[in-house]
Amino acid sequence: MTETLTAPAMQDLSAPEKIVAQMTPQEKTDLLSGFGMWKTAALERFGIPTTTMTDGTYGVRYSIPQIDGDEKGGEDLDAFLNMVNQRASDVAVAWGEMKPATCFPNGSAMGNSWDTGLMRELGELLGRECRAMGVHMLLGPGINIRRTPLAGRSYEYYSEDPVVTGKLSAAVIEGIQEQGVGTSLKHFACNNSEIERTSMDSVVEERALREIYLKGFEIAIKQANPWTVMSSYNRLNGVQASQDPWLLGDVLRGDWGYEGIVVSDWHGIKDRPASLLAGGDLDMPESPRRKAQLLEAIENGSLPADVVDRSCVRMLEFIAKALAGAETPAPQIDQAAHHARARAMGTQSMVLVKNGGALPVRADAKRVLVMGRDAETPVIQGSGCATTIPTMIDSPVDELRSVLPGAEIIQRTEADAEAMEIAKTADVILAYVSTEGAYDGEGSDRTTLALGPGQDEMIRALAASGTPVAVIVACPDAIEMPWIDAVDAVLVSFYSGQAMAGAVADLVSGKVSPSGKLSVTFPQQLSDVPGHLSYPGELGRHMYSEGVHVGYRGYAARGMAPLFAFGHGLSYTSFAYSDLSVSTSEITLDGALEVSFTVTNTGDFAGREVSQIYLAAKGRQLKRSTIELKAFAKTPLEPGESRRVTLTVTGRDLAVWHPGQGRWVLEGEEAELLVAAASDDIRLRAPLTLMPSLLPWRRVAYDTQPAYVLPNPHARGVIRDFLSARCGITADEADRALEHCANSFFGIFTTLERRLRISITEEETTEVIARINAAMDAAEAAL
Ligand code: BGC
């Protein structure tokens, strides 16, 4: 008799607990660890196959040798480092064979779209390309806050603001996951610089964490429920983020109720059992050392069985989703159609920050001088694991020729004597420039906000010709513009992907009106950046010393004018705002309101206007940053057209985090809602009363000063009654005695003892404090 070997049928993944109950420690270890560089392990006994994941954030980077090499794919560290450390300009050489994919505008470009519909479409297209390549999960989006424009990976991230970050990333996640492909929201949390990226301790106070650095994650997770969250490389307040029970347990799973899996960043776990215990489910990529650590901890029982099993269940749930997503036939990708959409995304994301009239190029322009090596070889993306091998790349000059058929397009790269002669006779000069791409990107922050060598000089020389100069800047994040007053126009394209040149051509020619607005502040100079003094930390500790005052909040709070404000962006048309109505003039923590206003296109071009709603509030015990973005909308408008825009703002959107009480609160305050075209361009205002969800006084302790006790009626009442009983005086007399304590800077109890010549026992003090704080708790609960 011959035995036929058949693979076991896949066990029913809808009952993961049953599978986990049958698994050996080795199988659990395999399930909770990577298989090679980009896969989850197959569990043969249960008929469960591998699943595949790959980067990145704006394109699918599929390394054929690393994924398809053999069953496992590559797990070679050198190959991985080559990939992450490579410059975008020579990726194809170093990465071996890659599958081309559409290189869409990068995160810092798309962030300026302020368009959730466009982000969702980006997600759909990325998801389709994943499906076509057999990828079950894309390792993105990356949403760390762009705290400093120097950050090497800022080109992948959306904004310095958590609301823009959260809402845009939620839309991308929804778009990708609707295709049956998973996402990994990364890097959780506070990986805001590449300096000492795997060991730096980001020291961040709790308000800044909750209100700024975690907020985008919270919004995206609650709205879009990404299949996975990727823990970051750094330490957070002393604890390795991949092993942090507070971050992964209390906040992510506890406060936010997240039920997906936590994936480590690549080799980001230092102590595997500690990471599992904290909530880190999947350790990527495969590491024999960490697998041995995990196996031992499972076998010797030092890891509780229920913790291990819970992670195994989550992993099986993830695999079930990944396999189900791949059941429908893979889509055929029309590369030209995806390229066209990448171009449209570019046109809606680039930001025209200055325009004296040089743009759009006049229809009767005869000679257009195109300058700069970026017009020859455009910088379309940043460097690192996100870098994508494009399916095609637009040529700036070819694209200009096609949109400006009546003009002679003359191209020069250097501002030599001949070019300067041409400059004098041209109708307009388009100067394509970029930042130096030789060192920044993943693993390395920029060191300056300057353009690449020689480019400032080129711009100045061109401006001296007397012909209007429009500068087109490709950059990962903000730059300084020392020549700003000398040029007529500046279009910031950021890194806008493979169709960047076509998108620039559409905008420069006026085929499309610019509608991007800056999702970060452009400082006058690097030293203006909030947090500059403590960046990038020392001796392995990076203090986020500006607290909540990140980005535009820091400029507003200090009354500083940036070069270009957060939310700023020009158009070829103009927009008027009118008829503001707010559904209520007061809001509670659990309330909500609707803000409605009319936007009218008052110019001659069709355009899109990004409207922004800010809260202007000072805060009381918890200082605010003057303005905080709360909502936004992008509205397409034909010339002369008006539309009513309605946005919902909840009390929770307006809340601040109270570190003392560990909850979101609203302090009672007269505030304003601002409807703005930019953070420095307020168009409409409405008063808004914030109804308190907490008392305006702090809880009382032994050493609280009288000045903080006496205005608090709960404290005053309890102490008055105590004194009256203790000293045998009337309540009025006790109150007068208390008043007499007002100028003391000693604690209330010390002051009472000295002033009244009494001795208050520790038990009495404890009881009085407890009574005061209980009265305050009760009063607060009734608010
Ligand atoms: C990056 C992640 C990326 C991973 C896999 C890491 O170095 O920080 O963003 O997803 O590598 O390439």
Side-chain angles (χ1 to χ4, degrees), residues 16-24 28 45-46 309 313 316:
E17 292 82 2
K18 280 197 188 149
I19 300 179
V20 174
Q22 304 167 56
M23 286 170 68
T24 63
K28 291 179 184 177
R45 221 159 51 87
F46 305 98
D309 289 358
V313 167
L316 291 177

Side-chain angles (χ1 to χ4, degrees), residues 143-145 147 157 186-195 197 200-205 208-210 212-214 217 230-237 241 246-247 542 544:
I143 66 161
N144 295 84
I145 290 289
R147 172 176 179 250
Y157 304 149
K186 67 189 188 184
H187 307 85
F188 192 60
C190 293
N191 209 161
N192 306 93
S193 148
E194 294 299 287
I195 313 282
R197 65 193 294 232
M200 183 66 87
D201 185 7
S202 301
V203 182
V204 194
E205 51 98 356
L209 266 176
R210 295 282 189 163
I212 307 289
Y213 298 101
L214 301 183
F217 286 95
M230 187 188 292
S231 56
S232 58
Y233 276 139
N234 52 292
R235 294 189 171 87
L236 175 59
N237 292 330
W246 176 80
L247 184 68
H542 189 168
Y544 285 34

Side-chain angles (χ1 to χ4, degrees), residues 102 125 127-133 331-336 338:
T102 312
L125 300 183
R128 285 170 59 81
E129 294 197 14
C130 283
R131 284 294 325 278
M133 293 188 206
Q332 293 291 317
I333 302 302
D334 179 343
Q335 292 186 342
H338 282 211

Side-chain angles (χ1 to χ4, degrees), residues 613-619 624-630 654 669-674 682 685-688 690:
I613 307 284
Y614 294 88
L615 175 74
K618 293 195 171 59
R624 290 183 182 254
S625 300
T626 314
I627 54 166
E628 299 163 14
L629 183 80
K630 296 301 171 192
L654 307 179
E669 181 176 356
E670 296 306 321
E672 268 188 315
L673 277 181
L674 312 177
I682 313 300
R685 298 168 176 269
L688 181 67
L690 306 183

Side-chain angles (χ1 to χ4, degrees), residues 80-338:
F80 176 67
L81 288 178
N82 277 346
M83 178 192 74
V84 171
N85 292 337
Q86 264 319 303
R87 301 295 91 209
S89 47
D90 44 33
V91 283
V93 183
W95 290 9
E97 224 184 318
M98 307 282 297
K99 286 191 186 172
T102 312
C103 176
F104 290 99
N106 299 184
S108 68
M110 289 301 292
N112 305 309
S113 74
W114 300 65
D115 188 333
T116 51
L118 206 63
M119 297 304 284
R120 200 186 179 95
E121 186 188 359
L122 171 67
E124 284 162 14
L125 300 183
L126 287 170
R128 285 170 59 81
E129 294 197 14
C130 283
R131 284 294 325 278
M133 293 188 206
V135 170
H136 299 94
M137 176 168 73
L138 192 63
L139 299 170
I143 66 161
N144 295 84
I145 290 289
R146 284 152 64 191
R147 172 176 179 250
T148 165
L150 295 178
R153 296 188 80 173
S154 61
Y155 74 95
E156 289 185 74
Y157 304 149
Y158 298 129
S159 178
E160 68 189 17
D161 176 81
V163 174
V164 175
T165 296
K167 296 203 167 168
L168 296 192
S169 57
V172 176
I173 293 167
E174 285 171 350
I176 295 174
Q177 293 191 168
E178 270 166 20
Q179 309 310 305
V181 173
T183 58
S184 198
L185 187 63
K186 67 189 188 184
H187 307 85
F188 192 60
C190 293
N191 209 161
N192 306 93
S193 148
E194 294 299 287
I195 313 282
E196 299 183 34
R197 65 193 294 232
T198 56
S199 55
M200 183 66 87
D201 185 7
S202 301
V203 182
V204 194
E205 51 98 356
E206 207 180 327
R207 259 193 83 195
L209 266 176
R210 295 282 189 163
E211 294 179 29
I212 307 289
Y213 298 101
L214 301 183
K215 192 70 189 173
F217 286 95
E218 181 181 359
I219 293 171
I221 285 169
K222 287 183 174 167
Q223 182 184 323
N225 194 19
W227 292 6
T228 81
V229 169
M230 187 188 292
S231 56
S232 58
Y233 276 139
N234 52 292
R235 294 189 171 87
L236 175 59
N237 292 330
V239 184
Q240 199 71 42
S242 59
Q243 302 164 193
D244 187 344
W246 176 80
L247 184 68
L248 306 182
D250 298 358
V251 176
L252 179 65
R253 305 237 185 250
D255 295 349
W256 303 346
Y258 180 66
E259 289 177 351
I261 60 168
V262 173
V263 182
S264 70
D265 200 346
W266 266 228
H267 296 297
I269 293 177
K270 297 185 179 165
D271 177 333
R272 179 54 176 133
S275 139
L276 194 83
L277 208 49
D281 304 297
L282 177 61
D283 174 7
M284 289 298 295
E286 182 171 4
S287 149
R289 184 179 60 79
R290 292 192 302 270
K291 279 175 84 169
Q293 277 184 355
L294 179 57
L295 181 60
E296 192 187 339
I298 295 176
E299 282 180 335
N300 70 20
S302 57
L303 269 176
D306 63 325
V307 172
V308 176
D309 289 358
R310 195 179 53 205
S311 279
C312 287
V313 167
R314 285 190 202 125
M315 276 304 299
L316 291 177
E317 287 167 349
F318 162 77
I319 291 169
K321 280 191 278 194
L323 298 178
E327 268 167 11
T328 55
Q332 293 291 317
I333 302 302
D334 179 343
Q335 292 186 342
H338 282 211

